[in-house]
Amino acid sequence: MSESVAAYRERVRSWLAEHTPSGWAEKLPYADESQVLAFYRDWARKLHSGGLLVPHWPARFGGEGAGVAEQLIIQQELSRAGAPRPRYLAISLGHAAATLMQHGTPEQQRLLAGILEGDVWCQGFSEPEAGSDLASLRTKARREGDYYVVNGQKIWSSMGLHARWCLLLARTDPDAPKHKGISLFIMDMRSPGITVRPIRQATGAHEFAEVFLNDVRIPASMLVGEENNGWRIAQTTLTTERYAQMIEVHAGLTELLAQLVRESKTTPAPDGRPLAEDSAFRQRLAELAGAIEAFGALNDRVLGAVAEGRDPGARGSILKLFFSQLLQQLTAFGVRSQGLSAQLDPRRKNDLSYTSGDWMLDHIRSWTWTISAGTSEIQRNIIGERVLGLPKEPR
């Protein structure tokens, strides 16, 4: 590690030691959602004041033009300090920002300043009949003078209940091939004609929402790129990978494993001895520990490719598939190990990170990872076609 990088790490570590909110992990899970949203907005502004929110953004947009190494250091030190991530702003800081920077007009790029102040964005992509086959979407946008009039329905819109802005895909040419007649818009979620209905999850949270659009008028100036070119532009949003955040994921898995070890010392096995002394338990624990170590090594390889400016390609699919399966296996093992005590309702409603430490809630939520950011079936197709050289799936 160069001296400059080491100094950067020390600066980040010192800042977090001074500014990380105390007790947030105990209070926030049970707080009202308006309080949670206010907390994340305030924390995002503080992170930005310390240069830790968007250091990789170009300076003209409020960043520092930092490289991958600096981003990795920040993620590592956030995990080390037990500091919160601005989770409600994940789409704002990642997908929305990448799309605006690469494809937005100067007027549209002015919205980036709002992201730094805590504006929440959501995506209006998936529909009831257009999930994995997103190009089959039916929401329509019709040009009328200086506006587009939009009608349709979106589903599984993360943060849709709290969003100020939405990246919206709509069909603008119904006669064109399905990939060719789609446009991308920036939609003000306060516009008349928008109805947002929360989707309550099995965990009690409502991170997702349905969005109904009835004659919603979007200014033509909020069309991103050219009309009917939205599918290509949307790939920026769909493929904006946040590999550095996999450090947080790995830290969460490691902490769950450590929690399982701690609990096994006081949890009785069927024969009355501590579970930690049960040979079958210890064997499975070792297998999961090895898998977590392998996930970390695989993540290092992917991050190494990104740091060198290379496209990780299908490795990203391997990483995502590996993680979603591993999280399911680890949390299921935790539920079985804890027995009836894992069935108790901890009243935890707010999803604050990838893992919470409540075995049943984490296990239920782990299944969403097999769907979000590309289903496991889609990931296997990518791996089969691009890595193993198998024939493409018949259309």
Side-chain angles (χ1 to χ4, degrees):
M1 182 182 297
S2 69
E3 183 179 353
S4 61
V5 174
Y8 186 80
R9 181 183 295 278
E10 183 57 35
R11 177 170 77 82
V12 172
R13 184 173 297 181
S14 298
W15 191 93
L16 288 172
E18 181 180 351
H19 295 90
T20 297
S22 61
W24 73 271
E26 290 73 35
K27 300 174 184 176
L28 219 55
Y30 311 106
D32 181 84
E33 282 208 334
S34 61
Q35 296 174 310
V36 175
L37 186 60
F39 171 87
Y40 277 128
R41 283 174 171 159
D42 180 63
W43 178 236
R45 287 191 287 267
K46 287 181 179 178
L47 282 174
H48 183 51
S49 70
L52 305 185
L53 183 65
V54 290
H56 56 293
W57 284 17
R60 64 191 181 98
F61 294 130
E64 300 177 0
V68 175
E70 288 84 357
Q71 295 177 61
L72 295 181
I73 286 172
I74 290 173
Q75 292 297 325
Q76 290 169 342
E77 293 304 318
L78 283 168
S79 294
R80 183 180 182 278
R85 268 77 166 181
R87 190 165 184 274
Y88 279 34
L89 302 179
I91 293 174
S92 308
L93 296 168
H95 301 169
T99 302
L100 291 176
M101 289 181 193
Q102 188 167 340
H103 302 287
T105 64
E107 176 188 357
Q108 294 166 356
Q109 289 174 346
R110 282 197 283 270
L111 297 175
L112 291 166
I115 292 177
L116 299 179
E117 291 296 318
D119 279 352
V120 177
W121 286 62
C122 66
Q123 290 175 200
F125 282 19
S126 296
E127 299 182 4
E129 301 298 328
S132 296
D133 185 17
L134 182 58
S136 298
L137 62 86
R138 299 179 181 178
T139 295
K140 296 180 180 180
R142 183 182 71 257
R143 181 72 181 258
E144 290 187 0
D146 293 333
Y147 290 86
Y148 285 86
V149 179
V150 184
N151 288 276
Q153 176 187 355
K154 298 295 179 177
I155 197 168
W156 307 122
S157 180
S158 299
M159 304 302 155
L161 194 62
H162 310 289
R164 175 69 175 83
W165 299 96
C166 174
L167 285 176
L168 179 76
L169 282 179
R171 190 165 300 283
T172 44
D173 186 350
D175 299 322
K178 63 181 185 179
H179 290 87
K180 302 293 185 180
I182 296 173
S183 297
L184 180 65
F185 299 91
I186 298 170
M187 182 174 69
D188 187 342
M189 291 295 287
R190 298 176 184 175
S191 301
I194 298 177
T195 301
V196 181
R197 181 183 301 167
I199 300 174
R200 189 172 181 85
Q201 299 156 239
T203 61
H206 38 258
E207 176 183 351
F208 305 105
E210 291 180 282
V211 180
F212 299 88
L213 309 169
N214 182 23
D215 287 339
V216 178
R217 294 171 65 83
I218 299 177
S221 60
M222 288 302 177
L223 170 68
V224 181
E226 298 176 356
E227 188 177 282
N228 299 324
N229 199 31
W231 180 258
R232 184 188 66 80
I233 297 173
Q235 301 313 303
T236 301
T237 302
L238 293 170
T239 60
T240 297
E241 301 290 352
R242 293 166 290 163
Y243 292 114
Q245 291 191 358
M246 283 293 142
I247 294 176
E248 179 188 357
V249 168
H250 185 250
L253 292 172
T254 303
E255 174 54 34
L256 281 181
L257 186 75
Q259 176 182 330
L260 195 55
V261 172
R262 292 193 300 269
E263 293 173 348
S264 69
K265 297 176 181 179
T266 56
T267 301
D271 61 5
R273 295 182 301 161
L275 192 59
E277 299 179 13
D278 183 82
S279 60
F281 172 85
R282 294 168 66 91
Q283 175 65 32
R284 182 55 178 154
L285 192 69
E287 292 171 354
L288 289 169
I292 292 172
E293 188 73 14
F295 172 77
L298 177 61
N299 190 40
D300 286 345
R301 294 183 66 182
V302 171
L303 291 171
V306 174
E308 295 171 4
R310 294 183 286 114
D311 182 3
R315 286 183 184 176
S317 293
I318 296 172
L319 190 68
K320 196 268 182 180
L321 182 63
F322 189 4
F323 162 65
S324 58
Q325 292 183 159
L326 179 55
L327 182 61
Q328 284 185 352
Q329 295 166 1
L330 178 58
T331 54
F333 186 55
V335 169
R336 290 196 300 271
S337 300
Q338 292 304 303
L340 287 176
S341 64
Q343 313 295 324
L344 298 177
D345 182 5
R347 299 185 300 110
R348 189 181 297 271
K349 296 182 180 180
N350 302 315
D351 293 329
L352 306 179
S353 63
Y354 298 107
T355 56
S356 68
D358 295 315
W359 291 112
M360 182 57 73
L361 288 183
D362 282 346
H363 184 55
I364 292 173
R365 191 165 177 268
S366 71
W367 292 89
T368 66
W369 279 96
T370 66
I371 301 172
S372 64
T375 66
S376 293
E377 291 75 15
I378 295 295
Q379 305 305 329
R380 290 189 177 96
N381 279 350
I382 293 173
I383 295 167
E385 294 173 9
R386 301 182 188 177
V387 179
L388 303 178
L390 300 177
K392 290 188 175 182
E393 185 178 14
R395 298 295 179 185

